[in-house]
Amino acid sequence: MTMKLYRQGLDYSKLLNFLSYKPKTYFRYGYVERRMALARIVAGSLLIREQRIVMIPPTQPIPIPWDPHFVICRHFSLLSTKSFDHCKDNIQIAHWDEPQDYRNWKGIIQCKYCLTEFQIDFKNFGERGNAMFVTKWQDLGQGQSPLDHKWQSHVAGQNGRKWLPVEFDRGSICATFEQKEHFRFEFDGLLTLQDKKELFRKSPYKWPENV
């Protein structure tokens, strides 16, 4: 419906806002999480950026939740600490004694089967804890038909044998959404002073015992 109104030259801002959401804070065992999302129409396609920020107590050796649950898309998820180990060629994990600003120079990671890309970065906030930033961008297409290849890439069934590879330039979705080269995206640039105060006020959260 958003794309239909867009093509008809009508006001689609209300529906676009439904696809976005302002920062929200969630409590998990051992950490606090802040989520936000923004939808935009760029060059005739519906794009969405979502960022999740988790604050891990500084006593933990690495800034990853003990029970991570990061569903990037239908084809790629980080659901355990072991899943990060499997991705070590693409995700470089920071340690608590890293410099205060730590950019993951592995950069943007692409999904092989849908128009999704993401990156994971870390930032040290001293005694407040260590933050992990998970940022992803998705291109949902023009919305003209449910058979559109971009949309179909996101809603393909669970049967991995039927997944079809997609090709797109690395960093292109991020660059289109941000309107600048993907390597110029500042992962902590979306964190406002109010967001930071909210995270600091609620962190560090009690770490679960016997983990």
Side-chain angles (χ1 to χ4, degrees):
M1 288 299 298
T2 304
M3 297 307 295
K4 183 177 181 180
L5 292 179
Y6 166 78
R7 288 193 296 273
Q8 293 176 345
L10 302 176
D11 182 16
Y12 56 86
S13 59
K14 186 175 181 179
L15 291 180
L16 202 62
N17 287 334
F18 285 149
L19 298 172
S20 309
Y21 57 87
K22 295 181 179 179
K24 299 178 181 179
T25 302
Y26 301 88
F27 291 98
R28 310 297 186 202
Y29 285 116
Y31 65 96
V32 175
E33 178 178 336
R34 190 83 162 157
R35 296 185 186 182
M36 65 191 81
L38 181 63
R40 287 177 176 168
I41 298 177
V42 184
S45 285
L46 178 60
L47 308 181
I48 295 180
R49 178 190 65 207
E50 180 184 14
Q51 186 175 73
R52 297 171 64 178
I53 307 169
V54 296
M55 288 290 291
I56 306 299
T59 54
Q60 303 307 310
I62 56 176
I64 293 178
W66 71 279
D67 63 338
H69 190 86
F70 299 96
V71 178
I72 305 300
C73 63
R74 294 179 69 91
H75 316 99
F76 190 91
S77 299
L78 297 167
L79 303 179
S80 70
T81 53
K82 290 184 178 179
S83 63
F84 280 85
D85 292 336
H86 295 326
C87 300
K88 61 184 178 181
D89 290 339
N90 293 316
I91 302 173
Q92 185 175 350
I93 306 302
H95 289 261
W96 67 271
D97 56 352
E98 292 284 352
Q100 188 168 6
D101 291 310
Y102 180 90
R103 175 180 287 276
N104 194 338
W105 294 108
K106 294 290 185 178
I108 282 181
I109 302 170
Q110 295 173 279
C111 178
K112 296 179 180 179
Y113 305 104
C114 70
L115 278 294
T116 299
E117 53 191 18
F118 71 100
Q119 68 180 49
I120 296 179
D121 301 281
F122 304 92
K123 190 177 181 71
N124 182 299
F125 288 105
E127 63 180 12
R128 297 290 189 175
N130 299 299
M132 179 173 70
F133 294 73
V134 181
T135 313
K136 73 175 180 181
W137 298 264
Q138 294 183 303
D139 183 347
L140 302 183
Q142 298 180 349
Q144 294 188 5
S145 168
L147 300 179
D148 175 73
H149 77 281
K150 289 185 177 181
W151 176 250
Q152 280 296 309
S153 74
H154 293 288
V155 299
Q158 297 292 338
N159 187 349
R161 295 181 180 180
K162 295 183 179 181
W163 293 347
L164 299 177
V166 296
E167 294 184 4
F168 59 99
D169 293 334
R170 182 170 177 264
S172 60
I173 303 176
C174 169
T176 301
F177 187 97
E178 306 296 342
Q179 295 294 288
K180 59 185 176 183
E181 296 293 338
H182 67 88
F183 54 81
R184 296 187 181 279
F185 172 73
E186 296 294 332
F187 67 89
D188 57 346
L190 306 178
L191 189 64
T192 67
L193 180 60
Q194 183 61 38
D195 293 333
K196 191 180 297 185
K197 288 181 178 179
E198 181 77 359
L199 281 171
F200 287 175
R201 185 173 66 85
K202 298 178 179 179
S203 298
Y205 199 54
K206 183 180 179 181
W207 193 262
E209 297 180 358
N210 302 319
V211 174

